[in-house]
């Protein structure tokens, strides 16, 4: 059963294993500001701390933090005091693990990229900006077989290293694979040169 609880009676979970980056947290705050009714459909799942009588979330720590940031007085809560310690730990993990994968092609076709990012979805990509190397990365409609689109999530330092390598590599005009994507051909050339060095070493 869901109840609206005074937010001052709820403390953060001291053992919360989930972290959220500042940028994504800011998007969560904005989501609650613009669409607070979503909390009614996705309440915090909490238990009572026997030591101080306060409650803390098993699920919804970041929503609690965002609600406090917005100075909300009350927040919807579902209690799980009847769960065992093992059930509580299992819920914390399962509530934060994404099962399955997004269909990125479907999202790319039918959803607005800016809205998805605004709503907090991390969209993977092989982002080689600001040099503009990634502008022609998406395959055009119909450009599937025998081509494949690959995406990578890179740390900034990794992306910079790859950008430097791609800027340095020379690709001969034309390609035996019929691929007109400059980035794909450069990356393939880098891998070929790596393979040659591996054979020679």
């Amino acid at each position: 059963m869901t109840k609206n609880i005074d937010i001052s009676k709820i403390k953060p979970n001291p053992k919360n294993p989930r972290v959220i980056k500042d940028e994504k947290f800011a998007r969560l705050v904005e989501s609650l500001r613009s669409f607070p009714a979503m909390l009614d459909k996705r309440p915090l799942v909490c238990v009572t701390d026997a030591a101080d009588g306060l409650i803390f979330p098993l699920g919804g720590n970041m929503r609690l933090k965002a609600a406090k940031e917005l100075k909300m007085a009350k927040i919807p809560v579902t209690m799980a005091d009847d769960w065992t310690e093992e059930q509580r730990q299992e819920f914390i993990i399962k509530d934060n693990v994404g099962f399955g994968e997004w269909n990125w092609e479907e999202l790319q076709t039918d959803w607005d990229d800016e809205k998805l990012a605004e709503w907090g979805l991390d969209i993977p990509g092989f982002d080689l900006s600001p040099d503009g190397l990634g502008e022609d990365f998406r395959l055009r409609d119909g450009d599937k077989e025998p081509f494949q689109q690959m995406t990578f999530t890179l740390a900034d330092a990794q992306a910079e290293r790859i950008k430097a390598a791609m800027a340095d590599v020379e690709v001969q005009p034309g390609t035996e694979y019929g691929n007109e994507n400059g980035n794909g051909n450069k990356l393939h050339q880098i891998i070929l040169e790596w393979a040659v060095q591996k054979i020679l070493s």
Side-chain angles (χ1 to χ4, degrees):
M1 181 178 178
T2 301
K3 298 179 181 178
N4 283 323
I5 302 288
D6 189 324
I7 206 166
S8 65
K9 296 180 180 178
I10 309 172
K11 64 179 185 179
N13 186 342
K15 297 181 179 178
N16 177 35
R18 183 73 182 269
V19 296
I20 185 170
K21 294 180 180 178
D22 291 344
E23 180 184 333
K24 195 165 185 180
F25 177 70
R27 294 202 301 260
L28 175 60
V29 171
E30 184 53 38
S31 292
L32 292 189
R33 188 197 317 275
S34 62
F35 190 25
M38 75 182 211
L39 283 172
D40 295 325
K41 301 299 183 185
R42 193 158 184 238
L44 308 185
V45 177
C46 296
V47 294
T48 305
D49 189 330
D52 55 22
L54 295 175
I55 66 175
F56 62 86
L58 298 176
N61 278 277
M62 293 302 109
R63 277 173 279 146
L64 172 63
K65 184 178 177 182
K68 287 184 175 181
E69 179 97 357
L70 293 170
K71 301 189 181 339
M72 293 182 174
K74 294 181 179 290
I75 191 167
V77 168
T78 295
M79 297 302 297
D81 283 333
D82 57 328
W83 284 356
T84 65
E85 184 60 29
E86 183 177 348
Q87 286 175 317
R88 295 176 184 189
Q89 291 180 343
E90 182 177 356
F91 177 81
I92 288 172
I93 299 304
K94 287 185 174 179
D95 187 54
N96 288 299
V97 170
F99 291 100
E101 297 180 2
W102 292 104
N103 183 335
W104 296 112
E105 187 173 337
E106 179 75 18
L107 289 174
Q108 179 181 319
T109 302
D110 296 330
W111 297 73
D112 183 282
D113 289 352
E114 290 183 9
K115 284 291 184 185
L116 291 173
E118 180 183 319
W119 295 337
L121 182 63
D122 287 325
I123 302 174
F126 194 33
D127 182 9
L128 296 174
S129 59
D131 297 335
L133 294 174
E135 289 180 1
D136 62 344
F137 183 68
R138 283 188 182 174
L139 295 174
R140 296 184 297 274
D141 289 343
D143 265 354
K144 303 303 179 187
E145 292 184 4
F147 300 99
Q148 297 182 30
Q149 181 173 342
M150 301 175 70
T151 59
F152 305 88
T153 300
L154 303 167
D156 288 345
Q158 292 174 311
E160 290 303 317
R161 185 170 293 168
I162 290 174
K163 282 192 286 186
M166 292 179 74
D168 188 58
V169 71
E170 292 185 12
V171 178
Q172 298 299 322
T175 170
E176 62 181 293
Y177 299 104
N179 181 17
E180 296 179 1
N181 182 282
N183 294 335
N185 286 320
K186 286 184 176 183
L187 185 58
H188 182 254
Q189 185 64 34
I190 290 169
I191 298 302
L192 282 179
E193 292 179 12
W194 167 82
V196 169
Q197 289 299 321
K198 190 172 178 63
I199 292 169
L200 294 177
S201 62

